[in-house]
Amino acid sequence: MRILIVDGNSILNRAFYGIKVLNSSKGFPTNAVTGFMNIFLKEQELLAPDCTAVAFDLPEKTFRHLKCDYYKANRHGMPDELAMQLPKVKELLSNLGIKIVELSGYEADDVLGSVSKLFSDSGNEAYVLTGDRDSFQLISDRVTVRFSSMRETLSYDRDKFFEAYGVEPLQLIDVKALMGDSSDNIPGVAGIGEKTALTLIKKFGSVENLYENLEHADLSAGVKSKLINGRDSAFESKWLATIVRDAPIPEKIEDYLPGQRDEQAASKLLTELECFKLIDRLGLKRSANVGAEKSSEPRKELSVRELGRDDLKEIAKSESCFILDDDIEIVSGDFIYTSSDKELILDYLSDGCPKTAFSAKGAYKLCFENGRELGGLKFICDLAGYLLNSQASDYTISNLCAANSVAYNEDSPHPGAHALPKLRDVLKKGVEDAGMASLLYDIEQPLCEVLASMEVLGVRVDSDGIRSFGDGLKADISELEERIYLQAGREFNISSPKQLGEVLFDELGLPKGKKNHRGYSTSAEVLEELLPIHPIIQDILDYRTLTKLLSTYVDGLLAEVCPDGRVRSEFKQTETRTGRISSSNPNMQNIPVRKELGRNMRKFFIAAEGKTLLDADYSQIELRVLASMSGDKNMQEAFLSGADIHTRTASQVFGLPEEFVDSDMRRAAKAVNFGIIYGIGAFSLSKDINCSVADADRYIKNYLGTYPMIDEFMKKTVESAEKTGYVTTLFGRRRYIPELKASNRNLKAFGRRAAMNAPIQGTAADIIKIAMIRVYRRLKEENLDAKLILQVHDELIVETSEECKEAAAKALSEEMQQAVKMAVPLTAEVGSGKSWYDAKG
């Protein structure tokens, strides 16, 4: 038999600190629950154990604390956000029939040791899942430790452990006895570090043997003196570091077999936490009464019938609701009408009768593809759900029902249709109560039509040009490989961080950072610091850039080309917290444009035959939004005068006339201008512009002195967010920021930066959406042979016939610049060309 024994507290901590803050819509933290279960289920799938046990510490003193009061005395208490989730994890495990083992007076480590010994002594296999290296001492022929780090989980048997440390697993106790362990406050021997401790134990085998032979040992006087003075501490440290293997655990193998699962209770708990993906992953059914306990209204049972042509007239008499996938479900009166007849579906969609859609983009696309227009649409549920909680991972009807206390019976053949009218009513009230009705009806819902149109139209690409560009990249990559191999003195896998680290730091002897179990870090940040030291570094950075371009933006883009030579991105309205539009297949927001090589990718997005592309990009929209929302007169005056904002800022920050501002000063001012929006600190700014922290701090202070209302605006925004839990854009969009309530200092700092940035970035997102709607409608109203086909960040691209080019350019410019009136004007110059590259200019 095989058992998986989980170090509950250790894995829970890994999950809590390894996953960004996740909260339910009610504000309950769920990142530890989600992360723990993801790690746990992955191990279950990988190992397929017959038995499973999870060990947890109890909040009381153990036998170690009673003997040595200093043991773990430096440990801080569990953060509130984690402590809240601990009982939920235990409850869920119990509901799933997983054995939980907690022993009064013992630590979870002792449970791991005792259970693993029970199984290994009886000829069975034991796998210990932990994030604590202390458990390595448990490794034996039948016990394997699965060590979980923030990035991956590695398996350690005896051979793997010896390869990594050069000693046997049990000798880890002796190593720790000498070197101590600051995390557990185990003192060890003063002055003896890991390297010396390992050397001593490799030579003498144990602490006992070391001290028995210490008098005649061939050691330096300094080491010998430290060992003599630290003798008592060494033996006490070994006692503290030794995991007990005979703790009073349940003694029968059968005690650890899976128990009866209470799937209804597990589903109910996960639904309350809004961990819907875990429900699916665990194969649980959502309860028929999810949310119903909070509703006093009886649930109306609806009859199901096949949609007929005569039914369309009856449906048109009142507002209906629909769900459209491959077929359609229409809820009207006491009936759910279903059909897969495309013509009937189109007739319903294009009728002007009032209707609610759960999700509308598919309906818009179906109509566009068949020469129709969607009519009578009043409300879109998934967009309303997104506005009410932009932190959710997805917006399925079952998830929104659970989050909004609407009954959803998964056992019904049409659960979504039954729930939709009630869900619509609840979401409509929620949006109105939150002051976001105008945001939904005037921005998000009209935008859905625009995005559907863009997806149907797509943009033409030059496939041959992309292939040729890719061939050039391959040649350059090959040349770089040869240069790198020549400088390294051998061939190796350049894309392997481990092999690259060995070449750079072991073989070439470059200055290295801290080494972990995966080897030396070869991140871009580390390599950039080594640029002045060796020419191989630039070649490696260039190699990474080119291979990324080739795989993602050449091969990846070619894979998305449709038979008509166009690519059709999926534009997503409900993915980002800030309200920004995202896209995929291909991701247009990620086309690399910072370097000329990446900007060349724009050459392959081209106009159709007889057409041209128009491109307009908002200039410094976020700074203009900041100037308007903060009310800072100095920044507003700079924009109103038409001055270059970065030169003006540099002039005021450095105390020089504008004509004396050089490129470095302007670059520093630009970094401060944009950095302030993201709550940049002196340390980060100093790295961005390569100056001292003191200089960076002075630049920031001078900046805030120049634009005092910005500082006040940022502070008030954070203060308001700390009270309400959210910030709002100029148009009322809310972003909830649970990180502000975190006890962890770094998370709270992130929350403050997010609170400063979200109103600015979110307002800019709202403005580009308004501009898209206005441009789309203007081109349509003027009956121009011109269509909006792309949106990339603050940039809009229109494909137009040559005859309509001038009128379309005028419409694009005017509608973008007049999208909203603020204290400073919006500017967007229009360029044109046969490719996106040419139009961008």
Short mmCIF file of all heavy atoms in Angstrom, two decimals, residues 719-751:
data_model
loop_
_atom_site.label_atom_id
_atom_site.label_comp_id
_atom_site.label_asym_id
_atom_site.label_seq_id
_atom_site.Cartn_x
_atom_site.Cartn_y
_atom_site.Cartn_z
N GLU A 719 -6.94 56.36 1.54
CA GLU A 719 -7.73 56.45 2.79
C GLU A 719 -9.16 55.98 2.56
O GLU A 719 -9.73 55.24 3.37
CB GLU A 719 -7.73 57.89 3.32
CG GLU A 719 -6.40 58.32 3.91
CD GLU A 719 -6.37 59.81 4.24
OE1 GLU A 719 -7.44 60.46 4.12
OE2 GLU A 719 -5.30 60.31 4.62
N SER A 720 -9.75 56.41 1.46
CA SER A 720 -11.12 56.01 1.14
C SER A 720 -11.20 54.50 0.91
O SER A 720 -12.12 53.83 1.38
CB SER A 720 -11.61 56.76 -0.10
OG SER A 720 -12.88 56.29 -0.51
N ALA A 721 -10.21 53.97 0.20
CA ALA A 721 -10.20 52.53 -0.10
C ALA A 721 -10.05 51.71 1.17
O ALA A 721 -10.65 50.63 1.30
CB ALA A 721 -9.09 52.21 -1.08
N GLU A 722 -9.26 52.21 2.10
CA GLU A 722 -9.09 51.47 3.37
C GLU A 722 -10.39 51.42 4.15
O GLU A 722 -10.64 50.47 4.89
CB GLU A 722 -7.98 52.13 4.19
CG GLU A 722 -6.58 51.87 3.62
CD GLU A 722 -5.48 52.61 4.34
OE1 GLU A 722 -5.76 53.65 4.97
OE2 GLU A 722 -4.33 52.16 4.26
N LYS A 723 -11.23 52.43 4.00
CA LYS A 723 -12.53 52.46 4.70
C LYS A 723 -13.59 51.62 3.99
O LYS A 723 -14.33 50.86 4.62
CB LYS A 723 -13.03 53.90 4.82
CG LYS A 723 -12.21 54.77 5.76
CD LYS A 723 -12.72 56.21 5.75
CE LYS A 723 -11.84 57.10 6.62
NZ LYS A 723 -12.27 58.53 6.54
N THR A 724 -13.67 51.76 2.67
CA THR A 724 -14.75 51.11 1.91
C THR A 724 -14.35 49.75 1.34
O THR A 724 -15.22 48.93 1.06
CB THR A 724 -15.19 52.00 0.74
OG1 THR A 724 -14.09 52.16 -0.18
CG2 THR A 724 -15.62 53.38 1.24
N GLY A 725 -13.05 49.54 1.15
CA GLY A 725 -12.59 48.29 0.54
C GLY A 725 -12.46 48.36 -0.96
O GLY A 725 -12.07 47.38 -1.60
N TYR A 726 -12.79 49.51 -1.56
CA TYR A 726 -12.71 49.61 -3.02
C TYR A 726 -12.39 51.04 -3.45
O TYR A 726 -12.49 51.99 -2.67
CB TYR A 726 -14.03 49.17 -3.67
CG TYR A 726 -15.24 50.01 -3.29
CD1 TYR A 726 -15.55 51.20 -3.98
CD2 TYR A 726 -16.09 49.62 -2.25
CE1 TYR A 726 -16.65 51.96 -3.63
CE2 TYR A 726 -17.19 50.39 -1.89
CZ TYR A 726 -17.47 51.55 -2.59
OH TYR A 726 -18.57 52.32 -2.24
N VAL A 727 -11.97 51.17 -4.71
CA VAL A 727 -11.78 52.48 -5.33
C VAL A 727 -12.72 52.54 -6.54
O VAL A 727 -13.21 51.52 -7.02
CB VAL A 727 -10.32 52.71 -5.78
CG1 VAL A 727 -9.41 52.82 -4.58
CG2 VAL A 727 -9.86 51.60 -6.71
N THR A 728 -12.95 53.75 -7.05
CA THR A 728 -13.83 53.90 -8.20
C THR A 728 -13.17 54.75 -9.28
O THR A 728 -12.32 55.60 -8.99
CB THR A 728 -15.17 54.58 -7.82
OG1 THR A 728 -14.91 55.86 -7.24
CG2 THR A 728 -15.95 53.72 -6.84
N THR A 729 -13.58 54.51 -10.51
CA THR A 729 -13.14 55.34 -11.63
C THR A 729 -14.05 56.54 -11.76
O THR A 729 -15.04 56.69 -11.03
CB THR A 729 -13.16 54.54 -12.94
OG1 THR A 729 -14.54 54.30 -13.30
CG2 THR A 729 -12.43 53.23 -12.81
N LEU A 730 -13.72 57.39 -12.70
CA LEU A 730 -14.54 58.57 -12.97
C LEU A 730 -15.96 58.19 -13.35
O LEU A 730 -16.90 58.96 -13.14
CB LEU A 730 -13.90 59.37 -14.11
CG LEU A 730 -14.30 60.82 -14.31
CD1 LEU A 730 -13.98 61.65 -13.08
CD2 LEU A 730 -13.58 61.40 -15.53
N PHE A 731 -16.14 56.97 -13.84
CA PHE A 731 -17.45 56.53 -14.31
C PHE A 731 -18.12 55.55 -13.34
O PHE A 731 -19.11 54.92 -13.69
CB PHE A 731 -17.31 55.90 -15.70
CG PHE A 731 -16.72 56.85 -16.70
CD1 PHE A 731 -15.35 56.88 -16.91
CD2 PHE A 731 -17.52 57.75 -17.40
CE1 PHE A 731 -14.79 57.77 -17.81
CE2 PHE A 731 -16.96 58.64 -18.30
CZ PHE A 731 -15.60 58.66 -18.51
N GLY A 732 -17.56 55.44 -12.14
CA GLY A 732 -18.20 54.63 -11.11
C GLY A 732 -17.78 53.18 -11.06
O GLY A 732 -18.29 52.41 -10.24
N ARG A 733 -16.85 52.74 -11.92
CA ARG A 733 -16.39 51.35 -11.87
C ARG A 733 -15.67 51.10 -10.55
O ARG A 733 -14.80 51.86 -10.15
CB ARG A 733 -15.44 51.08 -13.03
CG ARG A 733 -14.92 49.64 -13.08
CD ARG A 733 -13.88 49.45 -14.17
NE ARG A 733 -14.40 49.83 -15.46
CZ ARG A 733 -15.13 49.06 -16.25
NH1 ARG A 733 -15.44 47.84 -15.84
NH2 ARG A 733 -15.57 49.50 -17.41
N ARG A 734 -16.02 50.01 -9.90
CA ARG A 734 -15.40 49.67 -8.63
C ARG A 734 -14.32 48.60 -8.82
O ARG A 734 -14.48 47.67 -9.59
CB ARG A 734 -16.43 49.12 -7.65
CG ARG A 734 -17.39 50.15 -7.09
CD ARG A 734 -18.27 49.52 -6.02
NE ARG A 734 -19.22 50.49 -5.50
CZ ARG A 734 -20.08 50.23 -4.51
NH1 ARG A 734 -20.08 49.04 -3.94
NH2 ARG A 734 -20.93 51.16 -4.10
N ARG A 735 -13.24 48.79 -8.09
CA ARG A 735 -12.27 47.71 -7.95
C ARG A 735 -12.05 47.47 -6.47
O ARG A 735 -11.61 48.37 -5.75
CB ARG A 735 -10.93 48.03 -8.62
CG ARG A 735 -9.93 46.90 -8.36
CD ARG A 735 -8.58 47.09 -9.00
NE ARG A 735 -7.66 46.06 -8.54
CZ ARG A 735 -6.39 45.98 -8.92
NH1 ARG A 735 -5.90 46.85 -9.76
NH2 ARG A 735 -5.62 45.01 -8.46
N TYR A 736 -12.41 46.29 -6.04
CA TYR A 736 -12.20 45.92 -4.64
C TYR A 736 -10.73 45.55 -4.44
O TYR A 736 -10.12 44.88 -5.27
CB TYR A 736 -13.12 44.77 -4.25
CG TYR A 736 -14.56 45.19 -4.15
CD1 TYR A 736 -15.39 45.18 -5.27
CD2 TYR A 736 -15.08 45.65 -2.94
CE1 TYR A 736 -16.72 45.60 -5.19
CE2 TYR A 736 -16.40 46.07 -2.85
CZ TYR A 736 -17.20 46.04 -3.98
OH TYR A 736 -18.51 46.47 -3.89
N ILE A 737 -10.17 45.98 -3.31
CA ILE A 737 -8.74 45.75 -3.05
C ILE A 737 -8.60 45.13 -1.66
O ILE A 737 -8.31 45.80 -0.67
CB ILE A 737 -7.94 47.07 -3.14
CG1 ILE A 737 -8.23 47.75 -4.49
CG2 ILE A 737 -6.44 46.80 -3.00
CD1 ILE A 737 -7.53 49.05 -4.69
N PRO A 738 -8.81 43.81 -1.57
CA PRO A 738 -8.72 43.13 -0.27
C PRO A 738 -7.32 43.17 0.33
O PRO A 738 -7.16 43.03 1.54
CB PRO A 738 -9.13 41.69 -0.60
CG PRO A 738 -8.88 41.54 -2.07
CD PRO A 738 -9.16 42.89 -2.66
N GLU A 739 -6.29 43.39 -0.52
CA GLU A 739 -4.92 43.43 0.00
C GLU A 739 -4.72 44.53 1.03
O GLU A 739 -3.82 44.46 1.87
CB GLU A 739 -3.93 43.64 -1.15
CG GLU A 739 -3.84 42.48 -2.12
CD GLU A 739 -4.83 42.57 -3.26
OE1 GLU A 739 -5.77 43.39 -3.18
OE2 GLU A 739 -4.67 41.82 -4.24
N LEU A 740 -5.56 45.56 0.99
CA LEU A 740 -5.42 46.66 1.95
C LEU A 740 -5.68 46.21 3.38
O LEU A 740 -5.22 46.86 4.33
CB LEU A 740 -6.40 47.79 1.59
CG LEU A 740 -6.00 48.66 0.39
CD1 LEU A 740 -7.15 49.56 -0.01
CD2 LEU A 740 -4.76 49.49 0.70
N LYS A 741 -6.41 45.12 3.54
CA LYS A 741 -6.70 44.61 4.88
C LYS A 741 -5.73 43.52 5.31
O LYS A 741 -5.88 42.95 6.39
CB LYS A 741 -8.13 44.09 4.93
CG LYS A 741 -9.19 45.17 4.70
CD LYS A 741 -10.59 44.59 4.76
CE LYS A 741 -11.63 45.68 4.51
NZ LYS A 741 -13.01 45.13 4.53
N ALA A 742 -4.76 43.23 4.47
CA ALA A 742 -3.81 42.15 4.78
C ALA A 742 -2.90 42.55 5.94
O ALA A 742 -2.53 43.72 6.10
CB ALA A 742 -2.97 41.82 3.54
N SER A 743 -2.55 41.58 6.75
CA SER A 743 -1.61 41.85 7.84
C SER A 743 -0.17 41.79 7.33
O SER A 743 0.73 42.38 7.93
CB SER A 743 -1.80 40.82 8.96
OG SER A 743 -1.69 39.50 8.46
N ASN A 744 0.03 41.10 6.21
CA ASN A 744 1.36 41.04 5.61
C ASN A 744 1.74 42.40 5.05
O ASN A 744 1.00 42.99 4.25
CB ASN A 744 1.37 39.98 4.51
CG ASN A 744 2.72 39.87 3.83
OD1 ASN A 744 3.01 40.62 2.91
ND2 ASN A 744 3.53 38.92 4.26
N ARG A 745 2.90 42.90 5.43
CA ARG A 745 3.31 44.26 5.06
C ARG A 745 3.44 44.42 3.54
O ARG A 745 3.03 45.44 2.98
CB ARG A 745 4.62 44.61 5.75
CG ARG A 745 5.07 46.05 5.55
CD ARG A 745 6.28 46.35 6.38
NE ARG A 745 7.41 45.48 6.04
CZ ARG A 745 8.57 45.49 6.69
NH1 ARG A 745 8.73 46.30 7.73
NH2 ARG A 745 9.55 44.68 6.31
N ASN A 746 4.02 43.42 2.88
CA ASN A 746 4.21 43.51 1.44
C ASN A 746 2.89 43.51 0.68
O ASN A 746 2.70 44.24 -0.29
CB ASN A 746 5.09 42.36 0.94
CG ASN A 746 6.52 42.49 1.44
OD1 ASN A 746 7.00 43.59 1.72
ND2 ASN A 746 7.21 41.37 1.57
N LEU A 747 1.96 42.66 1.13
CA LEU A 747 0.64 42.63 0.49
C LEU A 747 -0.10 43.95 0.69
O LEU A 747 -0.76 44.45 -0.22
CB LEU A 747 -0.19 41.48 1.06
CG LEU A 747 0.08 40.09 0.49
CD1 LEU A 747 -0.79 39.06 1.21
CD2 LEU A 747 -0.21 40.06 -1.00
N LYS A 748 0.02 44.50 1.89
CA LYS A 748 -0.66 45.77 2.16
C LYS A 748 -0.06 46.89 1.31
O LYS A 748 -0.79 47.74 0.79
CB LYS A 748 -0.55 46.11 3.64
CG LYS A 748 -1.46 47.26 4.06
CD LYS A 748 -1.69 47.26 5.56
CE LYS A 748 -2.80 48.25 5.93
NZ LYS A 748 -3.18 48.14 7.34
N ALA A 749 1.25 46.86 1.13
CA ALA A 749 1.91 47.86 0.29
C ALA A 749 1.44 47.73 -1.16
O ALA A 749 1.20 48.73 -1.85
CB ALA A 749 3.42 47.71 0.37
N PHE A 750 1.30 46.48 -1.61
CA PHE A 750 0.75 46.25 -2.96
C PHE A 750 -0.65 46.83 -3.06
O PHE A 750 -1.02 47.46 -4.06
CB PHE A 750 0.73 44.76 -3.28
CG PHE A 750 -0.05 44.44 -4.53
CD1 PHE A 750 0.54 44.58 -5.77
CD2 PHE A 750 -1.38 44.03 -4.46
CE1 PHE A 750 -0.18 44.31 -6.94
CE2 PHE A 750 -2.11 43.75 -5.60
CZ PHE A 750 -1.51 43.90 -6.85
N GLY A 751 -1.46 46.62 -2.02
CA GLY A 751 -2.82 47.15 -2.01
C GLY A 751 -2.86 48.66 -2.12
O GLY A 751 -3.70 49.23 -2.82
#
